[in-house]
Amino acid sequence: MKKIFVITLLIISYLLFGFSVKAEQINNFDSQITINKDGTIDVKEKIIYDFGPPAGGLQKHGIYREIPFIKTNQNDKKYRLEFMNFSVKDENDNNYQFTTSQVDERIIRLKIGDADQLITGIHSYIISYQVAGALTYFSDHDELYWNVNGNEWVVPIASTTASVVWPQKLQKNELNAKCFTGNFGSSENNCVSTINADNSVFETNNQLEAGQGLTIIVSFPKNIVAVLEPKEFVSFWNTF
């Protein structure tokens, strides 16, 4: 009798609470990056965000997308990337409301959503922007080192994918691609990369936990793109 009571209690608990414990997460984060001849890159991110089911799900106004705009070279010098032409749309090409701000001298924050509207369920956010200064120029090759999703998310990302499109068709033996996963500075490579004549494609093998990211490195021959160096970054306190 006692066993039947316990089982009944578990079933009732599941019926009451089981459908509301689904965690908030990003189902997929996909980034399409195009390297341009003028040395800029175009980035288009599609974020499929799951706030949970309408019954018992989270109610929020939208999301924050935080993007680092400082990069550090091998000599620990810091450089500031220039971001331009932000737009945020849904899967039907409708514009989202958003504002941009700067956080602690290193991050651009996009606050996306309507302050007068609460949402639940699954929503798609398509974020587009252009970046100057993202490429690094070496003596024998040029390179894009890019943190695809950032390490600032407080929710897990079930699947993360990315592609980098070359400015022109190239031979596979002229190209190189690597990827890393995990917390900031991690050397784990729980991901796969594929090199094609037109692009390179990347995908994580497992879910990224909160605070983890996918970083990609692609290198290609010199004299393919213009040299567009970023400006050296000097923090507010160092200006004194």
Side-chain angles (χ1 to χ4, degrees):
M1 185 69 181
K2 183 177 179 181
K3 184 177 180 182
I4 294 174
F5 174 78
V6 171
I7 293 173
T8 303
L9 184 62
L10 287 173
I11 293 173
I12 293 173
S13 298
Y14 177 78
L15 291 174
L16 289 175
F17 305 109
F19 296 104
S20 63
V21 298
K22 177 177 171 60
E24 178 185 8
Q25 71 168 15
I26 296 173
N27 291 342
N28 179 250
F29 189 112
D30 178 72
S31 181
Q32 300 175 17
I33 304 164
T34 301
I35 299 175
N36 300 315
K37 283 283 191 178
D38 63 2
T40 62
I41 64 171
D42 293 327
V43 182
K44 185 177 183 180
E45 301 172 347
K46 184 173 183 180
I47 303 169
I48 301 177
Y49 203 103
D50 188 354
F51 294 94
L58 291 170
Q59 290 191 329
K60 292 190 174 182
H61 298 284
I63 64 171
Y64 291 106
R65 170 66 172 114
E66 298 184 340
I67 310 171
F69 63 83
I70 301 297
K71 74 175 185 179
T72 306
N73 70 3
Q74 295 174 336
N75 299 319
D76 289 329
K77 282 189 176 182
K78 291 181 170 56
Y79 295 88
R80 183 188 182 105
L81 309 184
E82 183 180 355
F83 286 75
M84 303 160 284
N85 305 327
F86 278 108
S87 74
V88 186
K89 298 179 181 291
D90 64 16
E91 66 275 17
N92 297 316
D93 206 36
N94 298 313
N95 291 319
Y96 275 110
Q97 294 184 25
F98 73 95
T99 59
T100 60
S101 59
Q102 182 175 315
V103 182
D104 66 18
E105 289 197 334
R106 70 181 189 91
I107 288 175
I108 293 175
R109 172 183 286 169
L110 276 69
K111 183 181 179 181
I112 305 169
D114 188 342
D116 297 323
Q117 182 180 1
L118 289 171
I119 57 176
T120 59
I122 298 174
H123 293 263
S124 295
Y125 299 87
I126 301 171
I127 306 172
S128 301
Y129 52 92
Q130 189 174 70
V131 189
L135 302 180
T136 304
Y137 304 91
F138 295 95
S139 60
D140 58 346
H141 71 278
D142 295 337
E143 181 179 279
L144 173 65
Y145 182 103
W146 190 250
N147 187 327
V148 171
N149 62 296
N151 292 81
E152 286 71 35
W153 292 103
V154 296
V155 298
I157 305 175
S159 171
T160 309
T161 53
S163 64
V164 179
V165 178
W166 315 116
Q168 65 186 54
K169 282 193 174 183
L170 298 166
Q171 299 297 319
K172 288 186 179 181
N173 59 7
E174 299 178 295
L175 304 167
N176 192 23
K178 293 185 289 186
C179 58
F180 301 96
T181 55
N183 297 320
F184 182 78
S186 170
S187 58
E188 294 180 5
N189 58 345
N190 202 356
C191 52
V192 292
S193 59
T194 305
I195 298 176
N196 305 304
D198 296 308
N199 65 4
S200 273
V201 180
F202 303 86
E203 183 175 4
T204 54
N205 293 328
N206 296 313
Q207 171 175 289
L208 295 176
E209 302 301 333
Q212 295 185 337
L214 169 66
T215 297
I216 61 175
I217 304 174
V218 295
S219 60
F220 49 95
K222 297 195 70 63
N223 302 318
I224 300 296
V225 299
V227 176
L228 186 61
E229 296 278 9
K231 294 180 180 179
E232 188 170 353
F233 173 73
V234 180
S235 71
F236 172 78
W237 300 108
N238 286 340
T239 59
F240 294 100

